[in-house]
Amino acid sequence: MSDEFYNAGSAGRDKQDLKERFNAARNRFYAAKQQAGQIKHQEYLRSLDERINRKRDALNRLENAIYNKRDQLSNLLSRPEPSYNNPHRWEIAARRNAKESEINAAIRDMEIKRASIINEIAELQSKYNNSR
């Protein structure tokens, strides 16, 4: 761009003044461009940091949910078996087994989700560290 300006021809006595004004404008432009780039980069880092924190919060909530499900399973398994004299023994046992399977499936699903969140946090943390 500056080559085009200088090759455009003579402007008489004002040539030096025009060159100085052009150079000053060009310098202001590049300084503003650099500052805008720095601001954008800082916003990107702040956004990554917020995403990491949200993922960590989600991981904490999920860890609590897994703990609660395991506690629920422990309580279920600690209940005594129904008496053989109970006419509904097999119905009770079937419901208990179904509930146990349901809780175990929920725990497995949450553990898969936990692994996924941990991987997402690691990826975001890597991006953050590489961008600093």
Side-chain angles (χ1 to χ4, degrees), residues 67-77 99 103:
Y67 176 85
N68 290 336
K69 278 293 181 188
R70 287 184 176 153
D71 189 49
Q72 188 180 5
L73 180 61
S74 177
N75 289 336
L76 178 67
L77 295 176
K99 186 67 174 174
I103 293 172

Side-chain angles (χ1 to χ4, degrees), residues 1 22-37:
M1 182 174 180
F22 173 78
N23 287 332
R26 183 183 60 194
N27 291 340
R28 284 192 310 271
F29 170 78
Y30 286 119
K33 182 179 176 183
Q34 182 179 16
Q35 184 180 15

Side-chain angles (χ1 to χ4, degrees), residues 3-128:
D3 291 340
E4 293 174 13
F5 175 80
Y6 293 122
N7 293 332
S10 175
R13 294 186 308 202
D14 295 329
K15 183 176 182 179
Q16 185 61 35
D17 181 49
L18 285 174
K19 282 183 181 180
E20 289 173 4
R21 288 175 50 207
F22 173 78
N23 287 332
R26 183 183 60 194
N27 291 340
R28 284 192 310 271
F29 170 78
Y30 286 119
K33 182 179 176 183
Q34 182 179 16
Q35 184 180 15
Q38 290 171 346
I39 290 170
K40 185 176 180 179
H41 184 71
Q42 291 300 319
E43 289 173 357
Y44 173 72
L45 289 176
R46 194 171 22 260
S47 171
L48 278 177
D49 191 44
E50 288 173 4
R51 288 173 59 194
I52 291 169
N53 288 331
R54 283 194 305 269
K55 291 290 181 182
R56 286 183 178 154
D57 290 343
L59 181 60
N60 287 335
R61 288 190 304 273
L62 189 57
E63 290 284 354
N64 288 335
I66 291 171
Y67 176 85
N68 290 336
K69 278 293 181 188
R70 287 184 176 153
D71 189 49
Q72 188 180 5
L73 180 61
S74 177
N75 289 336
L76 178 67
L77 295 176
S78 68
R79 292 181 190 160
E81 292 286 330
S83 167
Y84 281 103
N85 296 331
N86 188 331
H88 302 289
R89 173 177 169 60
W90 301 114
E91 294 169 19
I92 294 169
R95 283 196 309 267
R96 179 180 172 157
N97 288 341
K99 186 67 174 174
E100 182 181 349
S101 293
E102 175 189 318
I103 293 172
N104 279 323
I107 291 171
R108 279 191 306 275
D109 290 345
M110 287 188 283
E111 287 174 341
I112 291 169
K113 181 65 176 170
R114 177 178 57 188
S116 173
I117 291 173
I118 289 170
N119 287 337
E120 291 172 10
I121 290 171
E123 289 174 9
L124 289 170
Q125 190 68 53
S126 177
K127 284 182 184 178
Y128 183 85

